[in-house]
Structures are given as C-alpha cells and as structure tokens.
Amino acid sequence: MKFAVIHGPNLNFTGIREPGVYGRRTLEDINETIAAYAKTKDVLVSFFQSNLEGELINHLQQCYFDQVDGIILNPGALTHYSYALHDAIRSISIPTVEVHLSNIHQRETFRHTSVTAAACLGQLCGFGETGYLLAIDALLTHIGPKNA
Ligand code: DQA
C-alpha cells in the first residue's frame, strides 16, 4: 500500500512558527514519526511539501499517475480558500484525509471553513501530529484489504 503525505504552505516552518499553536517539533521530526508508524502498518509513505498551490496540484496529479492508494493532506491556509485544490482532490479520485495540527474550529473565524474537506474522505484536526497517524488508520480502514 502506497500513501502520500502532502504538506501545504508554511508547514515547512513547523517547529519555528507559533510553537504554542503548532508545537516545537519540526516537519522533519513529524515526517519521521509518520514514516515509523506507517512501517508498522506495512504502508510505504512518500512526503512532499510546497508553499505553492500549483506545485501541490501537480503533485496530487502525479499521485494519480503513480497509482497512490491514499493521500494525507494538510493544505495549510489553502484549506480555507483554494477551490483549485478542492477540484484537484476530486479529479484524482484517491481517498484523501485532510489533517490539521490545530483545531481550526477553535481559532479565527476564517479558519472555521474548509473548502477542501468536502472533496476528502474526512477531516482530522486538533490532534497535533497524532492526526497524521490517525489518518493512516482511517485510510486503511476505508480501503480495506487490497486485491481482496
Ligand atoms: C493548519 C491550520 C491552517 O489554518 C493554517 O493556515 C496552517 C496550518 C494546521 O495544521 O493546523 O497553515 O493547516
């Protein structure tokens, strides 16, 4: 099983930006934890981060050509306004779980809306990096045994 973990704008600054909100661990630390967890589940994970909307869309389309089985996506602030990302998620027909480190519903009003979540299988927010691990389990449950 192949999953892609995709991080959007500013997530490369995790550990530096607003540590009270996003924690002190870097994105590299978080990716290592995800990779270790995925390994215990026999899932091969790839990682991609970009601050650019178009690059994220290109990467989502690449996931289609690479026949990725599931996607874990933290779209960062694009969550709140990127219809292009919404369309890209829908276009590729790969089960996608939206993850946010913070609980976006407890924060500024503009963060309460996700325009991308409706294109996803579901959304996990407010669990910090554990959200990415829960997303792996959610995708595995959703996909079920492959080739069964
Ligand atoms: C975030 C929440 C977004 O509102 C914010 O713009 C981010 C990070 C999160 O992981 O909590 O960049 O996606």
Side-chain angles (χ1 to χ4, degrees):
M1 198 84 79
K2 280 192 299 190
F3 289 176
V5 178
I6 304 176
H7 304 285
N10 297 305
L11 287 155
N12 56 320
F13 255 53
T14 308
I16 302 170
R17 72 191 287 226
E18 303 182 78
V21 178
Y22 300 116
R24 294 203 176 269
R25 276 162 58 77
T26 65
L27 193 60
E28 208 171 78
D29 295 333
I30 293 172
N31 285 345
E32 273 174 23
T33 300
I34 298 169
Y37 186 75
K39 206 171 165 194
T40 69
K41 302 273 170 173
D42 271 332
V43 173
L44 202 67
V45 269
S46 66
F47 296 95
F48 181 78
Q49 188 278 329
S50 179
N51 292 324
L52 305 179
E53 185 180 33
E55 280 190 358
L56 293 164
I57 292 167
N58 287 344
H59 190 73
L60 285 165
Q61 292 181 354
Q62 192 56 49
C63 287
Y64 172 84
F65 293 117
D66 292 345
Q67 298 188 313
V68 164
D69 300 295
I71 294 174
I72 297 165
L73 173 66
N74 184 341
L78 291 170
T79 304
H80 314 301
Y81 63 90
S82 177
Y83 299 115
L85 213 49
H86 172 113
D87 284 351
I89 299 162
R90 270 210 201 288
S91 304
I92 59 176
S93 302
I94 298 171
T96 298
V97 176
E98 180 172 307
V99 172
H100 299 283
L101 293 164
S102 64
N103 183 341
I104 55 175
H105 305 288
Q106 285 176 347
R107 301 182 62 198
E108 302 96 316
T109 313
F110 77 87
R111 293 186 207 276
H112 297 178
T113 299
S114 168
V115 302
T116 45
C120 295
L121 189 58
Q123 183 200 64
L124 284 156
C125 73
F127 299 108
E129 67 186 271
T130 305
Y132 294 102
L133 313 185
L134 296 171
I136 290 176
D137 288 342
L139 283 170
L140 287 173
T141 303
H142 173 78
I143 296 165
K146 216 181 162 185
N147 307 319

